Amino acid sequence: MKLETYLRMADIPYEPVYGWSMGPKGKIPWIEYNGEAMGDSGLIIEFLNREKGVDLNQSLSDADKAVSRAFTKMGEENTYWGGARYRWIDNFDTVHEVLEVSWIVKVLGLLRPVRSTIRENMWAHGIGRHSRDEIEGIVEKDIKAVSTFLGTKPYLMGDEPTEADAALFGQLAEACFAFPGSYMERLVTVDCPNLQAYVNRMKNRYWPDWDELTNKTPIQS
């Protein structure tokens, strides 16, 4: 979501391929550019900024850029793990339906290694050593911090979207649309309604084809 939203914000044409193939760093998303595979959304964005002469942060002061980076990294390196635990550990039995994988994947248990990897990564990161309640408390503080800083602004840093909005939209949109009935959905849609309005604002501006894509996009192997 972060990478594709950035590409749309920067008006960079791309061809999406949705599947389970891991990139050169063993993660997704990744891109192929002029025949070269590149991984990590942050590094990809930095590369494309240089290659295409893009600067979504040009209106920001150095201090604003520092705040923007801090919120981005909080979402990616902290808040993210709350969603990972909710989906892959606490609700693993329903993940097949959410991801719309084939019946053979479910029968053969082909997603179990993913669950084990997520658990191991969370432990190595450190956040996996906390209890479920502790992790949920951490995520709640993160989300409410974003809500407080956003306030009544249309976008995180002001009147126009910047690079951080691509990252935060990716995180918050997942809470809104991919974790039905979760504490994360409640935080974004009930406790922090300005975040739900923000998600819809970003979605309407950059994803006019949202309904078509979410209903019809196949998962490729």
Side-chain angles (χ1 to χ4, degrees):
M1 286 296 300
K2 170 189 173 182
L3 182 57
E4 283 200 64
T5 301
Y6 160 82
L7 292 169
R8 290 171 177 238
M9 293 172 70
D11 292 322
I12 298 175
Y14 68 99
E15 181 182 352
V17 178
Y18 303 108
W20 300 102
S21 176
M22 296 292 109
K25 295 180 181 291
K27 300 177 67 178
I28 54 175
W30 59 284
I31 67 168
E32 185 175 294
Y33 184 85
N34 289 340
E36 181 181 355
M38 286 181 263
D40 185 273
S41 60
L43 296 180
I44 291 169
I45 288 172
E46 289 180 12
F47 168 79
L48 292 175
N49 283 343
R50 296 191 300 270
E51 185 76 5
K52 302 294 185 180
V54 173
D55 186 1
L56 299 178
N57 294 333
Q58 61 182 338
S59 64
L60 301 181
S61 66
D62 288 344
D64 285 341
K65 289 177 182 178
V67 172
S68 173
R69 179 173 176 82
F71 272 106
T72 297
K73 292 306 174 183
M74 180 184 74
E76 294 177 346
E77 306 297 338
N78 206 52
T79 318
Y80 163 82
W81 293 109
R85 169 159 183 153
Y86 178 83
R87 171 176 289 166
W88 292 102
I89 297 175
D90 298 335
N91 293 277
F92 182 73
D93 291 340
T94 62
V95 73
H96 304 85
E97 285 70 29
V98 172
L99 297 182
E100 298 180 350
V101 298
S102 65
W103 65 270
I104 194 168
V105 171
K106 183 175 182 179
V107 170
L108 296 179
L110 298 181
L111 290 183
R112 292 191 180 280
V114 179
R115 184 189 195 190
S116 297
T117 298
I118 293 293
R119 195 187 296 273
E120 291 168 3
N121 288 345
M122 290 185 68
W123 184 265
H125 175 280
I127 199 167
R129 301 164 194 252
H130 301 319
S131 69
R132 175 177 173 176
D133 287 345
E134 288 169 336
I135 292 174
E136 291 185 3
I138 290 169
V139 171
E140 179 175 355
K141 291 181 179 68
D142 289 353
I143 290 177
K144 287 186 175 179
V146 176
S147 174
T148 298
F149 185 78
L150 177 66
T152 60
K153 300 191 300 290
Y155 301 101
L156 184 71
M157 303 307 299
D159 291 335
E160 290 298 323
T162 59
E163 211 170 274
D165 290 296
L168 290 174
F169 170 69
Q171 295 283 337
L172 297 174
E174 192 157 16
C176 278
F177 304 117
F179 297 143
S182 71
Y183 76 98
M184 294 181 71
E185 180 191 45
R186 172 185 54 78
L187 284 168
V188 173
T189 62
V190 178
D191 295 357
C192 303
N194 66 329
L195 294 184
Q196 183 176 33
Y198 165 79
V199 168
N200 286 329
R201 191 175 302 119
M202 286 289 293
K203 178 170 70 72
N204 294 337
R205 180 164 180 170
Y206 294 109
W207 293 85
D209 51 350
W210 179 277
D211 291 338
E212 178 184 359
L213 289 172
T214 54
N215 288 331
K216 298 180 181 179
T217 300
I219 297 295
Q220 302 171 13
S221 59

